[in-house]
Amino acid sequence: MTVQMIFLAFFGGAAVWFGVVVFRTHSMVRSALALLFSQTAIGAMFLVMQAEFLGVLQIMMMATEMSVMAIFMVMFMMDPGGMGKMDMTHQKRLSLWAGGIGLLAALLLVWLPDWGPVALSVPGAHEQAADLGRELLGRSMFIFQSAGLTILTAMIAATMVAIVPNAEQGK
Amino acid sequence: MTIAGAREGAMYGIRRAVAAAMARDLTAFVLPGPSVARSMGIDLANAHLRIVGTPRHANVLIIAGPLDVGLRDAAAVAYAQMPRPRTILALGAGDIAPLPDADVSAPLTQAGLHSELADLRRVVAAGAFRANTGEFTAAALEVRVEYTCPMHPEIVRDAPGDCPKCGMTLVPRETASNGHGGHGGHDMPREDRPNPADHAHAGHAHDAGGSGAYTCPMHPEVISDAPGKCPKCGMNLVKAEEVESHGPGHGHGHGGHGGHGKQQDHSGHDGHAGHGGHSKATIDGIEPHFMSMVELTEGQPRSSDGLQMDWIEVPFGPFFPGLPAGLRLTLTLDGDTVAASDARSLVCRAELVDGPQMTAGDFVERLAAMMPLGPVAYRTLACAAIEEAASADPGQDARRGRAAAVERERIASHLGWLAEFGTQSGFLWLAARAGALQLAVQGADIDGIAAQAGAIRALIRRVETAPLMRMRLGRIARIGTDAPASGPVDRARGGGADARTEDPTLKALGFEMCVREGGDALARLRLRCDEIAQSLDLIAAAGRIAVPQVPDVETVSGEGAATIETPRGAARLRVKLANGKVVEAELDTPTDVNIALVETVTAQRELGDALAAVASLDLSPWEVRG
Amino acid sequence: MSIVVVLLSLAAGAYALAVIERWAVHGHLSLTGPAWAALALLGRESLLARKSDRLFFELGPVLLLVAGLMAVAVIPLAPGLIITDLATGALFLNAALAYVLVALIMAGWGPNGAYAMIAGWRFLGQFIAYAMLIVMPITAVAMRAESLSTVEIVASQEQLWNVLYQPMGFILFVVAAMGLAWLPPLDLPDATGELAGGVEAEYTGVRLAVLRLARMVIILALAGATVTFYLGGWLGPWLPGWAWSAIKILAVAAAMLSVGRYMPRIREARYLALSWKLGISLALANIFVVGVIALVVPI
């Protein structure tokens, strides 16, 4: 139990530290990859908490998502290499308020609701994966399918929005 | 025994083993290029070397043949980029300054290469490490600090001081001492260079139009008399006037695009002037124009895909593995799309007759030596033109022999092109096989050609049926019928001209012009394959191969012209003889025509396609008029 | 114990692969060649480019090696001979190999060179092409095994190897794996003729040695994955399990390394078009067919 706690704290600390690095660095690419490693650390926290499937999934998805984000930052941002020592923090007042409210909400969510008794034994990883499959294709199927469809629609719509101005230019 | 480019360190213990390993594992970067070495008859594949595509991975710099003056700076850069211990192996190279002296050298022959390599292995095993090593800095890489007036950019001085116009103190600025020249396609400076004031792009700011000395690269309305941070975005303020010294300016102060601080020349960027004055609806608490890319890129040129990106200028060549050696291709890349291109030959041909008059023999040798990629064709051309001028007739047999010699060179040249295409596109089997066949064919007699004919035809069949070929080359570098072009490039668009149709000798041998439809890189590849097959037939029909001898013109005077279809297209030579000496000569080469197509075939293409397109033109930079 | 055995066999496999690669690229077969080359590489200067992003430059090759090793951890070489038999092994393999992309972007961005940077970002384009085609065929494999554990996936092929059960998935997976390991004709990140070495172009000395080793480990991991998912892993008559694994993995790796010799490189946009228009349709069909077979004929 204690070893688990130490690892959990370690990865939690790493996630926060990488999160801070996102804003401390001047380079867009470093910023994007710091965000990636912050998310990877969260994935590792899931692993420590014995949520194997969730952890592995988080680690996998974030690698690709953040890399794609990095290339967009390089393509569309000025000074991606940080040579101009650009400050990554903007709109500090707004950010402070948003961050403070977010923290408060998170703390309230942790303390206020009744989370029930702490689970003392976690089902084995095989069982978890099987249970997750049954859940996804059973009770929660409708939710997940409609979410998937929504995302697909959004993707297609976004692509179309991106293409239209180009087509006009072509005329 | 030590080598000039030894690595620092005492030679003891494990280092001896490492040195022995280096001697066994020689990796070579070849100048001007493996294809040129091959056409000079040097078989590098057979020398237990590994040929690599970047000097960074090489420990031997092989120089095959005399190194043209235009390539020497670039060669020095390539050498400077090699990690130590590094060595130079010169094959008949002559003067190679500013490179250090070759560690081993021999005449340009295969035997010379083998004996030299054996020597080199001994030298490396014995002297890869040395206690104190000298520095080598390529002049082209050296950064010079010059001083310029913030108010008067036209004032540039080598030493600090005051501006003669306004008396302000001159500020330092970093420039390449040698323009942008000589980056052997490998544009990285070495680590051990001095690193004066960090120049990068932060200095390329917008003209603030005010008198304040410092401004924000993103917010030109921010003007300050002292250096510091921008109150809006926190970026470091930069000197306002520096932008003026960079001509049209570099759009919105890209701080170096990942630190591509090496690009000192940004003439490709049509910057826009300042973001001030835009009035947009603002939201409370949100900075106006917060990170608005729409605004930042306003007025900048857009590429075909409509994406607005930072443009970077990337030099390819003159030693780039996938391009003709000696060609410097500078591509301005917008993402991975080519926004602009500039092809320049670093090995341009000089005037044929400069200085004193030449004897016919000297003239023929000079022209043949000038064209390392097609010596026989140009030799034949020179002889034919001189004979025309002297009204001499070599006879039917000699004509047939010559025609066959040119056809043999065509086979070798096209095979060399196939090998280069294989190298560029990673089709390594083709690169190895075509290269070996090229070496076997060039210089072979009629029986030798007949012996290789089966293998060559098999190779052609294999190329025609190779998978992914259409995907790689189809619809790339399409050239319309209106653009001037020469040689296979011309004939691969459903028509075109071939100087051989006029030649009665070839007509008698059964020549008919090969034509392919399509006008793209794939059509050119297929046409070259067709021509190889046809040349094999022509050589068989001719029955003899004879490289022309210099005609004996004694004291004849006259004028004559000849046209020969070289492997790359029609070359035309006009000579004027006076008293048996060549006094005037004028040459038109196919590459003179085809190099102008580079811009057309690369415009708005993806980088890989653009390089394939340039390669498909089969340029010989030596043919370009200086 | 099995960690040591797996790592040792990995080292042996990487060496064998280096021999094969030298033959495929440079055309000479030499058993001692890679040893000399490695030793020579360690003795050379390891240059650092000016104005480089030092952190990325150093970290790129290391992350690549770590990603490869993580992927190897879930590949069973024989019953019981696996570093860790995760319940989500097949997914974990993907997660580990996703960092190949991150490592290559870092290695491409780090040295401050145009060729390397273009190569790194090109690999992202290539990633979009192969990513779905790695995951979707594995889905069908896991459907048959009713588990994501690599050990159980091998066990599920006792009756019939997946290469025969779902040949379409096999082809798609191998092509995608070649994209992931940037093997020719999908070798955009180190295309010699196009980018003079690309991501590798600015690495020298020890750093280059790490990069090359990592590449070998990744190729072995993918060959191992192919064998595990489609070629019955350690299953086979007469010989012991580990021998079958070794033979199959080396054969697959050699085939993947040398097939690119015989065709030109294909650029990422074309690969992307092929993968998405044709590949994903076929992968979906494969999942459907496997699902139907699994329900109708239980083998």
Side-chain angles (χ1 to χ4, degrees):
Chain A
M1 192 65 191
T2 41
V3 178
Q4 205 178 2
M5 287 308 248
I6 291 169
F7 271 103
L8 194 62
F10 172 75
F11 285 120
V16 172
W17 187 75
F18 276 119
V20 172
V21 168
V22 169
F23 297 99
R24 300 281 301 170
T25 177
H26 299 301
S27 157
M28 287 289 179
V29 183
R30 279 195 182 193
S31 181
L33 292 193
L35 190 54
L36 157 63
F37 289 121
S38 172
Q39 299 291 334
T40 310
I42 292 175
M45 287 170 76
F46 282 129
L47 288 183
V48 173
M49 291 188 283
Q50 285 169 281
E52 194 179 300
F53 191 90
L54 211 54
V56 173
L57 199 65
Q58 166 92 0
I59 291 173
M60 179 175 84
M61 298 308 289
M62 284 306 149
T64 58
E65 281 164 19
M66 294 303 155
S67 302
V68 173
M69 189 180 82
I71 199 177
F72 274 92
M73 288 168 95
V74 171
M75 284 195 301
F76 292 123
M77 292 290 169
M78 45 291 174
D79 187 17
M83 301 296 274
K85 301 264 181 280
M86 190 180 78
D87 194 351
M88 289 281 170
T89 54
H90 292 270
Q91 310 169 67
K92 293 189 182 145
R93 212 155 42 102
L94 184 73
S95 319
L96 277 175
W97 276 107
I101 291 170
L103 181 67
L104 200 66
L107 287 175
L108 289 178
L109 209 61
V110 171
W111 296 116
L112 285 190
D114 179 18
W115 289 93
V118 176
L120 290 177
S121 68
V122 183
H126 283 106
E127 206 181 320
Q128 271 184 40
D131 285 350
L132 196 62
R134 289 200 191 90
E135 180 70 28
L136 286 184
L137 294 177
R139 209 169 52 131
S140 308
M141 191 169 181
F142 179 72
I143 299 169
F144 278 91
Q145 291 304 310
S146 49
L149 209 60
T150 313
I151 293 171
L152 185 66
T153 316
M155 272 159 51
I156 293 171
T159 313
M160 286 177 69
V161 169
I163 288 171
V164 168
N166 194 23
E168 284 171 359
Q169 279 174 0
K171 275 173 198 166
Chain B
M1 213 167 22
T2 55
I3 48 178
R7 188 177 178 189
E8 197 153 320
M11 191 75 172
Y12 65 88
I14 185 88
R15 291 234 174 90
R16 286 196 184 282
V18 168
M22 283 169 183
R24 277 173 157 265
D25 182 66
L26 293 181
T27 47
F29 187 67
V30 185
L31 305 186
S35 55
V36 179
R38 231 178 7 246
S39 60
M40 291 171 170
I42 300 295
D43 184 5
L44 292 162
N46 189 19
H48 293 284
L49 280 172
R50 285 191 293 143
I51 308 294
V52 292
T54 160
R56 288 278 195 218
H57 298 168
N59 59 8
V60 193
L61 193 68
I62 294 183
I63 303 171
L67 195 60
D68 289 76
V69 179
L71 294 178
R72 291 198 190 154
D73 273 343
V77 173
Y79 179 70
Q81 285 172 337
M82 290 165 65
R84 274 172 284 220
R86 54 193 177 199
T87 55
I88 299 177
L89 187 158
L91 289 168
D95 181 20
I96 54 169
L99 282 172
D101 287 339
D103 292 290
V104 284
S105 51
L108 182 66
T109 58
Q110 187 71 17
L113 174 69
H114 285 291
S115 72
E116 252 187 298
L117 276 173
D119 279 352
L120 190 68
R121 286 180 209 275
R122 272 194 294 282
V123 173
V124 170
F129 293 89
R130 195 162 36 142
N132 45 351
T133 51
E135 278 290 312
F136 174 81
T137 327
L141 279 184
E142 224 156 274
V143 172
R144 196 160 53 94
V145 177
E146 57 186 23
Y147 295 84
T148 178
C149 172
M151 301 297 295
H152 300 99
E154 69 275 17
I155 306 290
V156 178
R157 295 281 182 273
D158 290 338
D162 292 337
C163 173
K165 290 199 176 172
C166 60
M168 274 176 80
T169 309
L170 299 180
V171 295
R173 183 175 70 179
E174 194 180 298
T175 57
S177 62
N178 215 354
H180 208 66
H183 295 217
H186 300 280
D187 46 4
M188 292 309 306
R190 286 178 53 82
E191 57 170 351
D192 49 8
R193 288 175 44 201
N195 187 355
D198 193 353
H199 160 78
H201 288 193
H204 301 234
H206 292 289
D207 180 10
S211 58
Y214 294 89
T215 183
C216 171
M218 286 174 57
H219 300 99
E221 66 274 22
V222 174
I223 293 160
S224 159
D225 290 336
K229 299 234 179 215
C230 170
K232 295 201 173 177
C233 63
M235 277 174 80
N236 281 354
L237 298 183
V238 296
K239 290 216 166 58
E241 290 80 3
E242 271 180 29
V243 65
E244 287 175 2
S245 62
H246 288 277
H250 173 211
H252 55 273
H254 280 272
H257 199 283
H260 291 104
K262 62 197 172 279
Q263 321 250 354
Q264 260 108 19
D265 178 5
H266 282 269
S267 50
H269 300 237
D270 295 326
H272 64 129
H275 317 293
H278 293 284
S279 59
K280 289 254 171 77
T282 53
I283 304 162
D284 264 354
I286 295 190
E287 294 167 21
H289 327 308
F290 174 63
M291 285 190 165
S292 161
M293 219 40 211
V294 174
E295 186 172 316
L296 284 171
T297 61
E298 203 168 35
Q300 287 210 312
R302 266 166 211 274
S303 54
S304 60
D305 57 9
L307 282 176
Q308 186 57 57
M309 284 187 242
D310 194 9
W311 288 17
I312 56 171
E313 208 172 79
V314 187
F316 290 86
F319 306 130
F320 194 76
L323 286 176
L327 184 75
R328 153 64 58 80
L329 183 66
T330 308
L331 298 179
T332 304
L333 295 177
D334 176 42
D336 65 353
T337 312
V338 176
S341 64
D342 172 49
R344 215 152 49 79
S345 166
L346 297 186
V347 288
C348 299
R349 63 187 156 96
E351 280 299 313
L352 285 176
V353 183
D354 52 348
Q357 303 169 351
M358 263 183 280
T359 63
D362 288 350
F363 178 77
V364 172
E365 299 300 339
R366 178 177 158 84
L367 183 56
M370 274 168 89
M371 305 294 176
L373 298 181
V376 176
Y378 281 94
R379 194 185 171 85
T380 311
L381 178 65
C383 291
I386 290 174
E387 277 158 6
E388 186 74 29
S391 316
D393 182 17
Q396 194 54 37
D397 267 5
R399 280 184 201 279
R400 282 225 309 277
R402 277 177 195 195
V406 174
E407 294 309 311
R408 182 183 65 185
E409 186 163 272
R410 190 181 318 279
I411 298 174
S413 174
H414 285 353
L415 284 171
W417 180 83
L418 281 173
E420 219 174 325
F421 164 71
T423 308
Q424 190 200 46
S425 64
F427 193 166
L428 294 179
W429 176 84
L430 177 64
R433 192 82 190 109
L437 285 173
Q438 182 195 358
L439 280 161
V441 166
Q442 87 197 351
D445 57 8
I446 191 91
D447 297 330
I449 301 275
Q452 299 294 338
I456 294 173
R457 287 184 205 276
L459 176 89
I460 291 171
R461 275 196 300 279
R462 195 74 181 265
V463 170
E464 299 265 356
T465 56
L468 304 182
M469 212 57 139
R470 174 173 291 279
M471 198 174 269
R472 173 78 203 179
L473 291 177
R475 301 201 304 196
I476 290 202
R478 189 170 268 173
I479 294 168
T481 43
D482 45 343
S486 180
V489 179
D490 187 23
R491 295 191 288 276
R493 51 183 185 181
D498 190 325
R500 287 176 289 174
T501 46
E502 314 285 313
D503 188 340
T505 315
L506 279 160
K507 199 163 270 176
L509 294 176
F511 170 78
E512 252 179 82
M513 188 168 81
C514 296
V515 170
R516 280 274 184 175
E517 300 288 331
D520 57 1
L522 186 66
R524 264 164 250 155
L525 171 91
R526 294 196 164 147
L527 181 82
R528 289 195 179 102
C529 288
D530 293 349
E531 291 197 347
I532 290 174
Q534 187 192 41
S535 296
L536 284 173
D537 293 340
L538 289 175
I539 292 174
R544 64 189 298 264
I545 298 176
V547 177
Q549 299 302 312
V550 180
D552 186 12
V553 290
E554 288 173 0
T555 57
V556 186
S557 299
E559 246 187 276
T563 306
I564 286 249
E565 186 72 18
T566 72
R568 291 174 181 78
R572 184 181 162 76
L573 177 69
R574 214 175 44 73
V575 291
K576 194 168 171 188
L577 293 179
N579 257 339
K581 301 266 170 94
V582 181
V583 290
E584 243 183 74
E586 204 184 298
L587 178 66
D588 295 310
T589 64
T591 303
D592 275 335
V593 179
N594 287 344
I595 199 168
L597 295 168
V598 169
E599 192 153 3
T600 324
V601 298
T602 54
Q604 301 299 338
R605 302 309 298 234
E606 191 265 351
L607 174 62
D609 285 355
L611 291 174
V614 175
S616 77
L617 299 177
D618 192 13
L619 304 173
S620 165
W622 282 269
E623 288 180 355
V624 177
R625 183 170 290 147
Chain C
M1 184 56 207
S2 56
I3 287 193
V4 178
V5 176
V6 171
L7 288 184
L8 283 179
S9 31
L10 190 64
Y15 190 83
L17 218 52
V19 173
I20 296 168
E21 193 188 30
R22 273 170 86 88
W23 167 76
V25 174
H26 296 286
H28 7 106
L29 191 63
S30 154
L31 286 182
T32 52
W36 293 116
L39 195 56
L41 211 49
L42 295 180
R44 287 199 210 165
E45 267 182 317
S46 193
L47 300 176
L48 187 67
R50 201 165 82 104
K51 287 183 180 160
S52 56
D53 191 328
R54 179 83 189 261
L55 188 69
F56 280 10
F57 189 66
E58 305 278 9
L59 227 54
V62 178
L63 182 62
L64 200 62
L65 186 59
V66 171
L69 289 175
M70 294 296 244
V72 168
V74 292
I75 291 175
L77 297 180
L81 190 58
I82 178 172
I83 292 179
T84 167
D85 177 19
L86 286 178
T88 52
L91 191 67
F92 183 82
L93 187 96
N94 276 306
L97 291 177
Y99 285 80
V100 169
L101 167 70
V102 179
L104 280 186
I105 288 176
M106 286 165 82
W109 181 262
N112 178 21
Y115 299 162
M117 183 190 74
I118 293 168
W121 291 125
R122 267 183 169 192
F123 190 64
L124 183 64
Q126 183 156 309
F127 163 83
I128 307 284
Y130 73 69
M132 294 312 286
L133 293 184
I134 287 276
V135 181
M136 292 171 81
I138 293 182
T139 308
V141 170
M143 277 164 63
R144 184 187 178 200
E146 296 183 11
S147 170
L148 284 168
S149 155
T150 45
V151 174
E152 281 183 35
I153 286 174
V154 172
S156 75
Q157 302 173 59
E158 190 82 60
Q159 302 295 323
L160 183 67
W161 290 1
N162 271 337
V163 65
L164 301 173
Y165 190 91
Q166 33 189 306
M168 184 60 71
F170 172 72
I171 295 166
L172 292 173
F173 183 81
V174 168
V175 173
M178 288 178 64
L180 203 169
W182 68 106
L183 287 166
L186 301 166
D187 59 339
L188 287 170
D190 67 353
T192 301
E194 275 177 30
L195 290 169
V199 167
E200 284 185 3
E202 305 297 343
Y203 281 95
T204 57
V206 183
R207 296 188 184 100
L208 182 62
V210 175
L211 202 57
R212 295 242 166 105
L213 176 67
R215 170 93 188 281
M216 290 300 159
V217 171
I218 285 165
I219 296 172
L220 277 178
L222 283 164
T226 311
V227 169
T228 305
F229 294 151
Y230 292 97
L231 298 174
W234 65 77
L235 300 174
W238 312 304
L239 293 175
W242 58 266
W244 273 118
S245 291
I247 293 170
K248 288 178 191 170
I249 289 175
L250 280 182
V252 169
M256 292 206 295
L257 263 174
S258 41
V259 67
R261 261 174 78 76
Y262 301 102
M263 54 192 77
R265 184 177 303 121
I266 147 173
R267 57 171 270 218
E268 79 282 10
R270 307 245 154 78
Y271 183 38
L272 187 65
L274 263 185
S275 293
W276 280 70
K277 288 178 187 161
L278 187 65
I280 288 186
S281 328
L282 289 177
L284 281 173
N286 180 52
I287 290 178
F288 181 75
V289 170
V290 170
V292 170
I293 297 177
L295 288 178
V296 178
V297 230
I299 35 171

